[in-house]
Amino acid sequence: MSADLAVAIAVSLVSALAYAAAAVAQERFAARTAADGSGGLVRLLTAGAWWGAVGLNATGALLHVVALRFGPLTLVQPLGALTLVAAVPLGARYAGRRVARLEWRGALLTLGGLGLLMYAASGPAPEDSLTLTEALAVGATTLLLIGALGRRGRTPGLRHATASGIASGIASALAQTVTVALAAPGKAAPVLQTVLVALLVAAFATAGLLLAQTAYRSGLGAPLAVVTLTNPLAASVVGLVLLGERLHGGAAGILPALAGALAAGAGVVALSRAAARDAREPREPETGAGPAGAPAPGAAAQPA
């Protein structure tokens, strides 16, 4: 393993921990405001706990961008699923309960799947970046997909969750373009291209956050699984199709990548089902450890 890949993995792990801590803080804040009926935008903007969660999310996002500088999208994005794995024991700890067997099973499946994905995606550090034309084309295509998925109709939660994952994944792909262009030795990054792509990153990251918030109105089970799986898929498509990233071992790397994706997907679904089941159970009175309930990782918790 190269030094760049080791840096990308290490930074991604710390980023996932920051996102997980933010998710648990958001869940506790949501449970507290729901219990005392003090919800609302004003309450949100004046709560220190909320801004603490925002700070943790911002830290996770910054570290994620750093990881994208040293590792390929096909490696860094799947590691974002570790946010969910880390949030499970953290949420259980603050809820004053033990981690359920289904949660442990989901965590092990996710970690095993990520291991296979990391092997398949262990290519060189990124050197290519999207041209302005490519970035604008990716942005326009993403807007069309979000518009189609965000329309009114049946199962809005799953459609909005898919749109959220796509928006966040594309934001990560575009963010990598900015970091690679800025770090390129011997030449200055085009100012117009950098500014426009940075604006697209901010727009899609915000869209991902808002779409996830809408999706979670339908619950946390299936929408959470869809967001977590769609995010790395969207980013990896850009990396493989437009940035010249390759799987380890060439065509033979497709098999472990598919096996890893299936295992990680099964793990995420198991974790989401456990979270949904816990949310349906009556909450225990507070005992000093915090309100009971399953953690609710948000979209800012998916790489942009």
Side-chain angles (χ1 to χ4, degrees), residues 84 102-103 105-107 109-110 225 264-276:
L84 182 58
L102 182 60
E103 291 174 315
R105 185 188 311 162
L109 278 171
T110 304
V268 169
V269 170
L271 287 168
S272 301
R273 287 177 177 173

Side-chain angles (χ1 to χ4, degrees), residues 222-272:
L224 177 58
V226 170
V227 170
T228 307
L229 292 174
T230 308
N231 184 312
L233 178 60
S236 295
V237 167
V238 174
L240 292 170
V241 175
L242 295 177
L243 295 178
E245 296 184 3
R246 296 292 182 266
L247 296 176
H248 181 75
I254 295 177
L255 291 179
L258 288 176
L262 289 174
V268 169
V269 170
L271 287 168
S272 301

Side-chain angles (χ1 to χ4, degrees), residues 189-200:
V191 176
L192 177 61
Q193 175 177 339
T194 301
V195 171
L196 288 177
V197 174
L199 289 175
L200 286 175

Side-chain angles (χ1 to χ4, degrees), residues 37-290:
S38 59
L41 182 59
V42 175
R43 174 73 173 88
L44 194 70
L45 296 177
T46 57
W50 166 254
W51 287 110
V54 170
L56 287 169
N57 272 316
T59 300
L62 178 61
L63 291 172
H64 183 73
V65 171
V66 173
L68 287 172
R69 170 62 188 90
F70 292 96
L73 281 166
T74 46
L75 171 67
V76 174
Q77 286 303 114
L79 287 173
L82 289 176
T83 296
L84 182 58
V85 177
V88 169
L90 282 174
R93 169 66 181 84
Y94 283 106
R97 62 173 179 83
R98 293 184 178 182
V99 179
R101 181 178 300 178
L102 182 60
E103 291 174 315
W104 282 124
R105 185 188 311 162
L108 291 176
L109 278 171
T110 304
L111 288 174
L114 285 172
L116 288 174
L117 282 172
M118 287 168 59
Y119 168 78
S122 57
E127 297 179 354
D128 295 334
S129 60
L130 298 175
T131 65
L132 180 58
T133 301
E134 290 173 334
L136 292 176
V138 168
T141 303
T142 304
L143 284 175
L144 290 175
L145 287 173
I146 291 176
L149 292 167
R151 70 185 189 282
R152 294 183 179 181
R154 299 180 60 185
T155 63
L158 295 182
R159 288 190 288 102
H160 289 171
T162 303
S164 172
I166 291 175
S168 299
I170 295 303
S172 290
L174 295 174
Q176 186 184 60
T177 286
V178 173
T179 58
V180 170
L182 291 176
K187 59 179 181 180
V191 176
L192 177 61
Q193 175 177 339
T194 301
V195 171
L196 288 177
V197 174
L199 289 175
L200 286 175
V201 171
F204 285 128
T206 303
L209 176 63
L210 297 177
L211 285 164
Q213 187 65 47
T214 303
Y216 290 139
R217 293 176 183 174
S218 302
L220 291 173
L224 177 58
V226 170
V227 170
T228 307
L229 292 174
T230 308
N231 184 312
L233 178 60
S236 295
V237 167
V238 174
L240 292 170
V241 175
L242 295 177
L243 295 178
E245 296 184 3
R246 296 292 182 266
L247 296 176
H248 181 75
I254 295 177
L255 291 179
L258 288 176
L262 289 174
V268 169
V269 170
L271 287 168
S272 301
R273 287 177 177 173
R277 184 181 63 183
D278 185 72
R280 290 194 299 267
E281 295 176 355
R283 291 180 178 267
E284 300 291 337
E286 291 194 28
T287 59

